Each structure stands twice: as C-alpha cells, then as structure tokens.
Amino acid sequence: MKSFKSEEEARAAGVYISKVKSFVKREGRLTNAQARAIEVNWPSKGLSVEQGLLNFDDVFGRTAPTVLEIGFGMGKSLVEMAAAAPENNFIGIEVHRPGVGACLADAEEAAIENLRVFEHDAVEVLALSIADNSLHRLQLYFPDPWHKTRHHKRRIVQPDFVQNLRSKLAVGGTFHMATDWEQYAEHMMDVMTQAQGFENTSSEGPAGYVPRPDYRPITKFEVRGQKLGHGVWDLIFKRVS
C-alpha cells in the first residue's frame, strides 16, 4: 500500500490489500487416503482464487441457491449438508490441507456432486472469487475464539469482515454463526447488532440467539461438549439492505 495514503484510497483504485490473517495455517500430515482424494477430486471439485470472480452457474453447471461455509474443518458436516440438500450448491473454504483431503474423500464416497472447495484464506476468497449479491447463506461454525484478550483482533467476526461479507449475500440471504465459547458468542452478537444492513432472525429480539436449525448437523465435537455441560450458541442474521 506504499503508493496509497489509506486502505480506502487503495480499494477505490481496485487494489486488494491483504490484512492480518484470522487463522494459523497448520499443514499437518496428509494420510494416503487424503492425498489420493485431493489428487483425484481436485480437478472437478477444487476452486482457486486464480480463477477470479466465479460464475456459480458455470461452476456447478446449473442455477441454484449457493451456500458458502468458512472453515469446514474435516468437512463431515459440510458433506452431510450437501447430501441432505441436493437442491443447493455448497462451497467450502478451509486452510488445513488434511481437512480438505478428508472432505473430498467423504464427498467422493457419498457421490456428492453439489460441493466445491477452496484451500485458501477466506477473506481473500470473498474479495477475489465471490461476486456481490450471489450467496444464499454464509456459514461460520465454531471458529477459533482466540480467547486471550491480546488475540481478540484475530477473531474473524469483526465489523469490517461483516460488511465485506454483507455485499456477497443476496438481500434476504443469511449469515449463520455458531460457537461453543460464550464470550465469543457475546462478541459476535455485539458486532452483528451494530452491523449496518443486517437484522437478527431470532424470535427473542434483536439480541437473541436461535435454536440450532435442522440443516446444521450436530458434530461429534459438539455432542462431546454437550455431555460436559458446554453450551452452543447459534446466531442467524439476515441481510436486509
């Protein structure tokens, strides 16, 4: 950004400015099955920011509502959602390569055709690959809470991020968050209740949480937490303008 006086000036000139990442990339070790799944399935199910703005009709070969999930982990719940809703397109973003491999392996085993994946930073994917007003739903389930105060700036749910994703949702589209960390749920609620262009869908009022919708599977991690008495908070905000 050396030639620009501010980020706003750079953005006006059409220059994308990379920010502090909201994750720590963990390469991990690929199993043989995960490596094979990436090699075999990436040509048909892999997406790259080098492709530029995506036309979902071209990507999926049809016109359908598109759901995007940020940070799908090992991908089991994403594959389950894609299998349960064949009428929707699903795109997943994950930086952990073994997770990408596991997701593609499960998708192959289940013969899932309505799923595509990125192995890339979500902020850059949104900026470079997702057209405005194109998403039906955006999902963010159990992101890293960065619970230490000095790390709060790394939490992905921040005002700037929310406004960036707002432009990617169609009017009427929803941003669905879930966390098992109560302080992060409160942080999410604080950011979203102040976010321009969004409305809480909770029947409990503008600062209310929602019951887990049927389309979000309960993960093993979540079940284990519930047995230990941990809570889970779901927030669903709709883009209204």
Side-chain angles (χ1 to χ4, degrees), residues 81-103:
M81 282 184 282
E87 70 278 7
N88 291 338
N89 299 329
F90 287 83
I91 296 176
I93 304 173
E94 179 56 59
V95 295
H96 186 48
R97 192 166 178 81
V100 173
C103 180

Side-chain angles (χ1 to χ4, degrees), residues 35-66:
R36 176 204 163 277
I38 292 175
E39 180 180 1
V40 170
N41 294 285
W42 192 262
S44 61
K45 292 185 170 63
L47 298 173
S48 168
V49 294
E50 281 72 29
Q51 294 173 250
L53 281 179
L54 299 177
N55 181 312
F56 296 152
D57 291 358
D58 293 340
V59 169
F60 291 94
R62 64 174 185 172
T63 299
T66 299

Side-chain angles (χ1 to χ4, degrees), residues 107-178:
E108 180 183 7
E109 182 178 357
I112 300 297
E113 297 297 334
N114 59 329
L115 173 64
R116 303 290 186 272
V117 298
F118 280 96
E119 183 188 350
H120 203 84
D121 170 40
V123 174
E124 293 187 357
V125 170
L126 287 172
L128 302 174
S129 301
I130 307 301
D132 288 350
N133 308 301
S134 64
L135 297 175
H136 172 69
R137 185 170 72 240
L138 199 149
Q139 302 174 168
L140 179 68
Y141 299 153
F142 306 101
D144 193 326
W146 295 103
H147 58 277
K148 293 183 179 180
T149 301
R150 68 177 183 271
H151 292 155
H152 284 184
K153 65 183 179 181
R154 290 189 174 273
R155 289 176 170 174
I156 192 170
V157 180
Q158 303 288 354
D160 286 349
F161 171 76
V162 169
Q163 288 308 312
N164 287 339
L165 68 83
R166 170 192 170 201
S167 66
K168 305 305 175 180
L169 284 168
V171 174
T174 55
F175 179 30
H176 180 190
M177 296 151 278

